[in-house]
Amino acid sequence: MSKRLIRFDWAVKKLLRNKANFVVLEGFLSELLFEDIKIQKILESEGNQETEQDKYNRVDILVQNAKNELVIVEIQNTYEIDYFHRMAYGASKALTENLSLGQSYSEIKKVISVNIVYFDLGQGKDYVYKGTTNFQGLHEHDLLQLSNKQKETFAKKNISDVFPEYYIIKVNQFNDIAKDTLDEWVYFLKNSEVKDSFKAKGLIEAKEVLDVMRLNQEQTYGYNRYLDYLHIKASEALSLKVEAEWRAKKEKAIEIAKNMLADNETNEKIAKYTGLTIEQIEALRNEK
């Protein structure tokens, strides 16, 4: 049987920062990055979130792995039109804040930005995207490469290994059909559920660590409050969408009515084609 578990975003805020539970986050990152990830320590704990609403809307955590790389995991629940800009800012902030005064630029850490979003970000058909930085020739169309001396000195294979790397998981775009172990994690991110057949790294441990029944009374209250907030925000988003659609429909009807008034059509005919009341049409006629 599958088991319903605590949402991953709340778990990151409250449970997965405990070193004993690193295995869950390590499993997720290992499946996403296709390598065995080990977390050394957590470097940041949502210190840049100033308002209560911001704490609910998003979750972020900055960790350092065994390869001395910085991994940002950010979870965003509500729509933000400039979220791509936030990704760029977050990666740049992590890069600069972890270069000590007097260090050479070669000492900057590789930054991996992992973004889990619960809204439709950008325009695309996939639900997992990866972004890297490469330089292509404008004339020869070749990719610029590190020299052999640079590869040996910096222990890097490609120029893209120097620059931040970005991942975006558009959770709501996933069709709930898990074809591989990464899909199993995306399924969990969307449904807070782990099926018995799932074999992805970290999910077996997640079934134990993230069991709702393990929460104490205070944690249960906090978790339920968090869920209530997400329901409220979802309702607000739906209300805004319906309101915008209704307003656009009404404005279109008024535009059509004004054109028909210009053609001296009757109130009854205008009402038939626009859905406006006779009183509304008379008001438009008087304005005209």
Side-chain angles (χ1 to χ4, degrees):
M1 294 177 61
S2 61
K3 179 189 290 187
R4 287 207 167 271
L5 304 171
I6 298 166
R7 280 178 58 103
F8 188 67
D9 46 3
W10 193 86
V12 169
K13 290 171 69 73
K14 301 296 183 180
L15 303 177
L16 300 186
R17 297 169 188 269
N18 185 330
K19 190 171 184 178
N21 297 331
F22 279 2
V23 64
V24 177
L25 190 56
E26 288 173 342
F28 166 64
L29 294 175
S30 295
E31 297 292 359
L32 177 65
L33 306 179
F34 295 98
E35 59 178 292
D36 189 23
I37 298 295
K38 295 297 179 183
I39 296 174
Q40 278 192 335
K41 56 185 176 180
I42 294 176
L43 301 178
E44 184 177 286
S45 183
E46 302 182 289
N48 56 346
Q49 298 184 13
E50 298 179 355
T51 67
E52 188 69 16
Q53 178 169 313
D54 200 29
K55 289 179 180 179
Y56 279 120
N57 283 344
R58 70 184 182 93
V59 177
D60 72 313
I61 187 171
L62 177 63
V63 304
Q64 181 175 313
N65 66 17
K67 294 169 62 177
N68 206 31
E69 297 171 329
L70 301 176
V71 184
I72 307 167
V73 179
E74 181 153 340
I75 307 169
Q76 177 72 25
N77 285 304
T78 57
Y79 174 75
E80 285 191 2
I81 193 170
D82 59 351
Y83 189 80
F84 287 121
H85 302 75
R86 173 187 278 189
M87 289 169 51
Y89 172 78
S92 300
K93 181 170 178 279
L95 191 152
T96 56
E97 289 187 349
N98 286 276
L99 183 67
S100 300
L101 187 65
Q103 285 186 303
S104 68
Y105 293 127
S106 64
E107 297 297 319
I108 63 171
K109 292 180 171 62
K110 171 74 173 183
V111 175
I112 301 172
S113 173
V114 178
N115 300 270
I116 303 169
V117 298
Y118 287 85
F119 61 92
D120 192 15
L121 176 62
Q123 185 174 342
K125 297 179 181 179
D126 212 319
Y127 52 93
V128 181
Y129 288 89
K130 177 181 178 180
T132 58
T133 299
N134 288 294
F135 296 86
Q136 185 174 29
L138 296 181
H139 301 95
E140 301 296 332
H141 306 293
D142 61 322
L143 288 181
L144 186 63
Q145 304 290 338
L146 294 175
S147 67
N148 290 332
K149 183 180 294 185
Q150 287 173 318
K151 290 179 181 180
E152 183 177 342
T153 301
F154 306 131
K156 305 286 186 184
K157 293 182 179 180
N158 304 295
I159 289 180
S160 60
D161 295 332
V162 177
F163 292 87
E165 190 171 291
Y166 298 91
Y167 292 83
I168 298 173
I169 301 177
K170 299 172 65 172
V171 178
N172 294 339
Q173 201 151 318
F174 179 58
N175 63 5
D176 286 342
I177 300 174
K179 298 180 179 179
D180 53 36
T181 50
L182 177 56
D183 280 354
E184 291 175 3
W185 259 102
V186 181
Y187 182 94
F188 166 65
L189 294 176
K190 182 177 180 181
N191 300 290
S192 299
E193 180 182 349
V194 174
K195 295 184 177 181
D196 288 341
S197 59
F198 286 179
K199 304 183 184 306
K201 296 177 181 177
L203 284 184
I204 294 176
E205 292 81 3
K207 290 177 71 172
E208 179 70 18
V209 173
L210 306 184
D211 189 344
V212 175
M213 300 303 293
R214 289 169 56 95
L215 298 180
N216 59 38
Q217 186 175 359
E218 182 180 353
Q219 290 172 328
T220 300
Y221 173 78
Y223 183 56
N224 288 333
R225 187 180 175 204
Y226 182 67
L227 295 180
D228 288 342
Y229 177 85
L230 294 181
H231 289 313
I232 291 170
K233 295 303 292 183
S235 295
E236 288 177 355
L238 177 61
S239 298
L240 289 173
K241 180 182 178 183
V242 171
E243 180 69 21
E245 291 175 347
W246 180 85
R247 188 181 298 113
K249 183 177 179 181
K250 183 177 180 181
E251 290 173 353
K252 182 65 175 177
I254 291 174
E255 181 183 349
I256 294 172
K258 287 181 177 179
N259 291 333
M260 295 181 73
L261 284 170
D263 292 336
N264 295 317
E265 300 288 356
T266 65
N267 289 353
E268 290 73 17
K269 185 173 182 180
I270 296 173
K272 177 181 178 181
Y273 282 95
T274 65
L276 297 176
T277 66
I278 298 298
E279 290 76 12
Q280 289 173 321
I281 297 169
E282 275 299 326
L284 290 175
R285 191 183 294 277
N286 293 332
E287 289 179 9
K288 177 174 177 296

